[in-house]
Amino acid sequence: GAVVSQHPSWVICKSGTSVKIECRSLDFQATTMFWYRQFPKQSLMLMATSNEGSKATYEQGVEKDKFLINHASLTLSTLTVTSAHPEDSSFYICSAEGRNQETQYFGPGTRLLVL
Amino acid sequence: GENVEQHPSTLSVQEGDSAVIKCTYSDSASNYFPWYKQELGKGPQLIIDIRSNVGEKKDQRIAVTLNKTAKHFSLHITETQPEDSAVYFCAASISVKTSYDKVIFGPGTSLSVIP
C-alpha cells in the first residue's frame, strides 16, 4: 500500500522560532499533498493543499505567511510554522494523493509543542 | 460546501458485539466516501471506502453501506475486538480524476471495545 512518512514525529520549540515539518510519499508520486491540523479530541481541519511545482491553496482563516508550504518534488512537501507561538501547538498531519487516485494516504503526524 | 455529520460521538461495545457508525452528507455531488481509523497519537489510516455507484462493500469484519437518496452512509464492524478501539472518521469528497479531491471529514466517533 501507499506509505507516507513525516519528520519529525514530535518537536518542542521556543516561542518565536520557526519549525519545519517534512512529508514524504515513499512508494508513489504525490501530485497533491494536503496539510491538516488536529486539536485534541477534534476532527482534522484542512489547512492547505499543494500541487507539485505550484503555490499552495490555503483554506479560509489560515495565514499563508505563517504556515509556509513548499511542494518542490513529487515525493516531498514541507510545512514551516514561522514565528511559532503557544497557540500553534497542535498535531499536524499531512496526506498525499497520486495522479488519478481518489484516496488520500496519511502520514503519522507531527506533534508540535511551543513553549 | 459539503458538510459531514457523524453519530454517535462515542460508542462503547462489548468484545464480540457489533458496532455501527452513521454519517450523513449534504452535497449530492459527493461520490467518494472513505472511512479512516485513527489510533491515539497516530495519523488516520484508511480502512475501507465506497464509491457512489456501489451500495455496499465488505472487507472481512468491516462493511460500509451507502444510501445516495438519503445521503447516508454507515460503517459496520462485526465481532469487535479490543484492537478496534480507536477514533473513526467518515469523509466525503467529489472525486474528479483530472483534479485533486478535497475531502471533508466528519467529527469522529470514539469507539471503545470492552474486553
Side-chain angles (χ1 to χ4, degrees), chain A residues 68-83:
Chain A
L68 302 179
I69 292 172
N70 183 279
H71 191 164
S73 76
L74 285 172
T75 59
L76 174 64
S77 176
T78 61
L79 167 67
T80 301
V81 183
T82 62
S83 186

Side-chain angles (χ1 to χ4, degrees), chain A residues 32 34 36 38 41-44 46 49 51 57 59 91 93 97 99-109 111, chain B residues 31-32 34 36 38 41-46 49 51 89 93 95-103 105-108:
Chain A
T32 307
F34 305 83
Y36 294 84
Q38 186 178 36
K41 298 186 178 181
Q42 293 190 20
S43 189
L44 289 80
L46 180 65
T49 303
N51 291 296
T57 301
E59 294 298 301
F91 193 48
I93 311 172
E97 186 177 287
R99 187 173 289 112
N100 295 327
Q101 286 183 352
E102 296 172 306
T103 302
Q104 291 183 28
Y105 295 93
F106 284 82
R111 188 162 300 282
Chain B
N31 59 3
Y32 176 63
Y36 291 89
Q38 186 178 29
K42 298 183 179 179
Q45 178 185 12
L46 178 72
D49 56 13
R51 291 164 180 78
F89 292 99
S93 76
S95 174
V96 179
K97 288 191 181 297
T98 58
S99 168
Y100 65 84
D101 314 309
K102 183 173 176 178
V103 176
F105 286 85

Side-chain angles (χ1 to χ4, degrees), chain B residues 25-33 50-55 65-73:
Chain B
Y25 61 98
S26 61
D27 192 339
S28 56
S30 290
N31 59 3
Y32 176 63
F33 306 92
I50 190 167
R51 291 164 180 78
S52 59
N53 60 347
V54 175
T65 60
L66 171 65
N67 182 329
K68 285 172 53 180
T69 303
K71 295 186 218 168
H72 289 175
F73 57 116

